[in-house]
Amino acid sequence: MKNKKKAFWNQALLSGPYLLWMGLFILIPLFIVLYYGLTDGSGAFTLENVKKISEPIYMRSLLLSLKLSLYSTLICLLIAYPLAMVLRSLHLKNQNLIVMVFILPMWINFLLRTIAWLTILENNGVLNSFLRLLGFQGLSIINTPAAIVVGMVYDFLPFMILPVYNSLAKIDDNLVAASKDLGANSLQTFRRVILPLSLPGIISGITMVFIPSLTTFAISQILGGGKQNLIGNFIEQQFLLYYDWNAGSGLSLVLMIFILISMAFVAKFDKKQEGTNLW
Amino acid sequence: MVKAGNALKKLYIGLIIFFLYAPILVLLVLSFNKSRFRNHWGGFTLEWYRSLFSNDEVMSALWTTLLIALIAAFLASVIGTAAAFAINKMKKVPKAMFLGITNIPMLNADIVTAISLMLLFMALGFSFGFFSVLLAHITFSIPYVVLSVLPKLSQMSRSNYEAALDLGATPFQAFRKVVFPEILPGVLSGFMLAFTMSLDDFIITWFTTSPDIHTLSTVIYAMQRRGIHPEIYALSSLMFIVIVILLILCGRTQNKIQKK
């Protein structure tokens, strides 16, 4: 009995600071957003802030955000999955090294790396100079949605590569061999063995690319030249330009619907609670 | 056939690595550019590496960034590791609840976390600046530590700890000599992840700082419209080179230890 009591206090002492911290800085702030989003300036209940999303200017930006983030997620998956398969097939002894190679760019400020893409994609930039040198016509992609997708894919690709690679690297070679011994061809082995086992990695990769792409405002500001407003840009403006916290919170609540959908999506597939598999 | 396949594989890896490092190469080239303009090559110079150290705006942002990342990663490691111990021993339902809370800041959009913290600090009458940014960074760093330490704890068998106690170790000795070395890799990778995320964060800092406290991210974003000071390119090139050298040294000592 005494031991049980002691264990309880141990638990409380260890988890207490964490629970207090997360309660104060994660849970309560979310309720404050909910409060501002559902009230007007005088504190009375209203749905006006949330309904703002139906105004054409906001609706257009939300649809553009959804479209571009879907593109960037899909492109990241199409690049990362074959890459992870190739890395797995090399059977590297030093797996940490390969992980480091893909994390290393993240230690250079992401805004700066995004700005470097300006220099590459500009009309007189590195890419076009190179294309012209080869006798092709230059592309004009800067300040278009395509430039923003390039920025998103670039910034968030490591978040797709790492979880997908981690889940693929864990698959036992004997399982693959067994599948082949039992008469499955390569395609069947992939569909029935490799793909299902790598699904948790794919799912966490998808959310880790989709959510930041959907909600970014810096990438669209830099590579869209302020001409392509995503929903994140409008939320930022409401808070830091117009100081309209009610409208900003209302738009954020709309955004949170999509976040909740993707959280539910993760919970459904990630039953073992492995977290994000990033490291 | 196999050879051609292998060459193709290496080509593919090479292309992706090129894609990831091309902008860093651009920054490196720009750091030697005599012209202040990003899109114009004015000849080779080392000027920016010299003037970097006397550029107060950039240097103070660098120190602020490093200080916040270090303190935030350290405090998050302490709070997160303690929490991981408690969560590891929990029954199913409270465990799921705790993990649910842990996942919120990881899955939530940065911009929502940012505005929610901004509104909280405002509601509490907090003055914005170094301290508010630090609190925000600790908040989003803790989950990375919890999720890095937890797998190490669940892999560890309890019998080692109990054996140490049976052999006469005090609980503290048993923890220090048996448990701690087992979970150390998890704590370290949690710390490194937290440090990296703090270093690279822009959105949450942007909403929780004041105009006179800048990290590298906010300085760069504010400069973006009127033109980046070339000193920033020099700084990022230096940082990149230092990190690469550190990694190579780490890799070598690791190899040596493994050989022994």
Side-chain angles (χ1 to χ4, degrees), chain B residues 165-181:
Chain B
L165 290 183
D166 286 347
L167 290 170
T170 65
F172 179 70
Q173 279 174 325
F175 174 79
R176 205 172 57 105
K177 299 247 167 152
V178 178
V179 179
F180 192 66

Side-chain angles (χ1 to χ4, degrees), chain A residues 152-167:
Chain A
M152 288 171 173
V153 170
Y154 176 78
D155 278 326
F156 306 129
L157 184 61
F159 294 112
M160 183 68 87
I161 294 177
L162 295 175
V164 171
Y165 172 65
N166 279 344
S167 64

Side-chain angles (χ1 to χ4, degrees), chain B residues 16 35 40 48 60 65-66 76 94 104 107 162 188 224 238 248 250-251 260:
Chain B
I16 310 283
S35 159
H40 176 245
W48 312 122
S60 86
T65 307
L66 289 177
I104 293 175
L107 293 174
E162 275 159 6
L188 282 182
Q224 191 251 124
L238 281 179
I248 292 173
C250 279
K260 273 178 192 168

Side-chain angles (χ1 to χ4, degrees), chain B residues 34-233:
Chain B
K34 213 174 233 162
S35 159
R36 277 189 155 267
F37 300 104
R38 204 171 28 71
N39 41 16
H40 176 245
W41 178 253
F44 181 89
T45 181
L46 286 173
E47 168 62 26
W48 312 122
Y49 286 88
R50 220 170 301 134
S51 58
L52 164 66
F53 295 95
S54 52
N55 186 327
D56 287 338
E57 194 184 5
V58 175
M59 287 313 275
S60 86
L62 172 66
W63 295 132
T64 310
T65 307
L66 289 177
L67 202 60
I68 286 178
L70 269 179
I71 302 176
F74 177 75
L75 289 178
S77 299
V78 175
I79 300 173
T81 306
F85 270 97
I87 294 173
N88 186 44
K89 281 187 190 163
M90 279 176 187
K91 300 219 171 67
K92 213 175 167 195
V93 175
K95 191 175 193 171
M97 259 176 57
F98 264 74
L99 286 174
I101 299 175
T102 310
N103 271 325
I104 293 175
M106 307 206 54
L107 293 174
N108 202 349
D110 277 357
I111 193 171
V112 176
T113 306
I115 59 163
S116 73
L117 283 166
M118 175 189 170
L119 292 173
L120 174 81
F121 293 150
M122 218 110 70
L124 295 176
F126 231 70
S127 64
F128 283 64
F130 184 87
F131 200 56
S132 57
V133 175
L134 180 62
L135 288 178
H137 279 225
I138 295 171
T139 304
F140 72 71
S141 297
I142 291 175
Y144 290 104
V145 179
V146 174
L147 293 178
S148 308
V149 177
L150 215 46
K152 298 280 173 225
L153 279 172
S154 56
Q155 278 164 21
M156 195 175 64
S157 90
R158 220 184 132 66
S159 38
N160 286 353
Y161 174 73
E162 275 159 6
L165 290 183
D166 286 347
L167 290 170
T170 65
F172 179 70
Q173 279 174 325
F175 174 79
R176 205 172 57 105
K177 299 247 167 152
V178 178
V179 179
F180 192 66
E182 285 254 350
I183 61 158
L184 189 63
V187 179
L188 282 182
S189 72
F191 178 91
M192 282 313 293
L193 254 181
F195 186 78
T196 310
M197 293 298 158
S198 168
L199 216 59
D200 211 35
D201 174 68
F202 159 66
I203 297 176
I204 292 169
T205 313
W206 187 241
F207 281 88
T208 52
T209 191
S210 63
D212 49 318
I213 293 289
H214 273 297
T215 64
L216 282 178
S217 292
T218 60
V219 142
I220 291 166
Y221 196 70
M223 274 182 188
Q224 191 251 124
R225 275 168 241 200
R226 51 193 161 102
I228 302 278
H229 294 185
E231 284 91 346
I232 294 268
Y233 303 131

Side-chain angles (χ1 to χ4, degrees), chain B residues 14-26:
Chain B
L15 276 175
I16 310 283
I17 291 178
F18 178 72
F19 175 66
L20 287 173
Y21 285 82
I24 296 173
L25 197 68
V26 168

